């Protein structure tokens, strides 16, 4: 018989039983099981296990998560994409969350992976119910914390490169080993003024081909204007429970 089911924006699944993790991840999470509950803009979020060790060993769930990611990366799974992230605040319960998108080119996916945290902040604020202004609704979540979910930790990076999913990819077997070798980094550079081109960035020693130049330079540091620094201090003073902004200031 045909039934009219409610469609959901998000399906959240908590695989709490250790004995069921492999069953759920290896068999159940095929899109066909949920076609009557989700549409092209839906997400499935799976809470299962915890972060691998820094050496990339998936000690909590053997190979079940690897098999799961292999499954959703094939055309037969019908899923669009998946992102894994850690939520430390979930401890001591399972801290790993896998966000699975019904369609890769969906609006949901592109809004989830937006690089600008400010746009996420604006969306959150615009959807808040009115409340006492003295309360801080974004104590544990805002655009910056969401952006952190999009960058896998070193442990997950190592896990991916050790798994059958990534071990044959260039960034895993060549780029990252070179990047993590200090011998491949060069910082002997200086800024000089050129009569024709103006200010220029020059090497002060011969740089071998394939080296990383100033990889720890300003592009990975945070720069703030004076008015931003003053606004940050005022915000932390008004909302001392805003731990993320307090830590940023410190």
């Amino acid at each position: 018989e045909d039934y009219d089911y409610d469609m959901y924006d998000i399906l959240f699944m908590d695989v709490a039983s250790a004995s069921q993790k492999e069953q759920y991840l290896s068999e159940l999470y095929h899109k066909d099981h949920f076609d009557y509950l989700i549409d092209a803009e839906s997400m499935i979020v799976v809470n299962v296990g915890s972060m691998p060790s820094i050496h990339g060993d998936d000690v909590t769930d053997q190979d079940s998560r690897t098999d799961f990611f292999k499954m959703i990366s094939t055309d037969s799974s019908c899923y669009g994409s998946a992102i894994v992230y850690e939520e430390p605040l979930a401890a001591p319960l399972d801290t790993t969350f896998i966000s699975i998108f019904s369609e890769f080119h969906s609006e949901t996916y592109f809004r989830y992976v937006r690089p600008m945290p400010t746009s996420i902040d604006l969306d959150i604020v615009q959807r808040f119910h009115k409340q006492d202004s003295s309360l801080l609704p974004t104590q544990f979540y805002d655009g910056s914390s969401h952006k952190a979910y999009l960058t896998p930790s070193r442990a997950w990076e190592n896990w991916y490169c050790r798994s059958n999913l990534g071990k044959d990819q260039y960034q895993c077997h060549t780029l990252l080993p070179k990047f993590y070798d200090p011998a491949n980094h060069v910082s002997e550079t200086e800024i000089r003024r050129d009569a024709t081109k103006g200010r220029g960035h020059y090497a002060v020693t011969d740089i071998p081909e394939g080296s990383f130049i100033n990889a720890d330079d300003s592009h990975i540091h945070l720069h703030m204007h004076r008015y931003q620094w003053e606004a940050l201090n005022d915000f932390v003073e008004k909302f001392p429970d805003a731990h993320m902004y307090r830590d940023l200031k410190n």
Side-chain angles (χ1 to χ4, degrees):
E1 296 183 42
D2 293 331
Y3 293 93
D4 290 329
Y5 293 96
D6 291 330
M7 305 295 282
Y8 294 89
D9 295 327
I10 298 178
L11 291 181
F12 179 80
M13 301 181 182
D14 180 11
V15 188
S17 171
S19 62
Q20 293 181 325
K21 288 176 181 177
E22 184 170 358
Q23 172 193 348
Y24 272 71
L25 291 179
S26 301
E27 300 176 5
L28 186 59
Y29 290 152
H30 191 284
K31 186 178 176 182
D32 287 347
H33 291 285
F34 308 108
D35 271 346
Y36 61 95
L37 296 175
I38 61 176
D39 58 23
E41 297 296 336
S42 300
M43 288 176 57
I44 300 174
V45 180
V46 186
N47 179 208
V48 54
S50 56
M51 184 171 61
S53 71
I54 190 62
H55 302 295
D57 303 317
D58 196 0
V59 295
T60 57
D61 302 298
Q62 294 84 33
D63 296 325
S64 57
R65 282 196 297 218
T66 303
D67 293 340
F68 174 72
F69 278 108
K70 286 172 61 178
M71 180 190 72
I72 66 172
S73 66
T74 62
D75 293 337
S76 60
S77 73
C78 300
Y79 288 120
S81 181
I83 295 176
V84 60
Y85 69 90
E86 288 295 314
E87 179 48 81
L89 293 175
L93 303 178
D94 285 354
T95 58
T96 295
F97 292 80
I98 305 173
S99 299
I100 310 163
F101 299 88
S102 182
E103 299 289 345
F104 179 71
H105 293 290
S106 65
E107 181 182 359
T108 301
Y109 173 80
F110 286 112
R111 290 176 66 83
Y112 188 93
V113 299
R114 283 177 292 177
M116 295 299 295
T118 305
S119 61
I120 299 173
D121 285 334
L122 291 175
D123 276 352
I124 294 174
V125 171
Q126 290 170 358
R127 287 165 173 77
F128 277 147
H129 294 291
K130 291 183 178 180
Q131 56 184 325
D132 187 338
S133 60
S134 65
L135 299 177
L136 183 65
T138 58
Q139 181 173 356
F140 298 116
Y141 181 79
D142 60 6
S144 297
S145 59
H146 179 84
K147 186 177 179 181
Y149 296 154
L150 306 180
T151 305
S153 66
R154 179 76 180 276
W156 277 110
E157 184 179 81
N158 290 347
W159 170 84
Y160 179 80
C161 285
R162 287 171 178 262
S163 73
N164 292 329
L165 296 170
K167 66 180 182 180
D168 295 327
Q169 297 192 21
Y170 173 80
Q171 63 266 30
C172 287
H173 62 67
T174 300
L175 178 61
L176 289 179
K178 288 182 63 177
F179 186 81
Y180 291 131
D181 184 353
N184 295 320
H185 288 259
V186 176
S187 58
E188 290 81 7
T189 63
E190 65 180 10
I191 303 297
R192 296 202 302 261
R193 183 166 293 279
D194 183 89
T196 303
K197 298 182 179 180
R199 298 174 72 241
H201 194 188
Y202 295 86
V204 297
T205 185
D206 291 337
I207 298 178
E209 181 180 357
S211 298
F212 298 95
I213 304 174
N214 290 346
D216 59 346
D217 207 352
S218 60
H219 71 287
I220 60 172
H221 293 145
L222 178 64
H223 293 264
M224 301 183 70
H225 294 288
R226 180 180 296 275
Y227 75 90
Q228 292 175 313
W229 175 250
E230 293 173 351
L232 175 62
N233 279 272
D234 290 342
F235 184 85
V236 171
E237 184 177 349
K238 292 179 180 177
F239 303 104
D241 292 332
H243 304 292
M244 184 189 71
Y245 292 98
R246 185 184 63 198
D247 292 343
L248 174 63
K249 171 180 177 290
N250 295 335

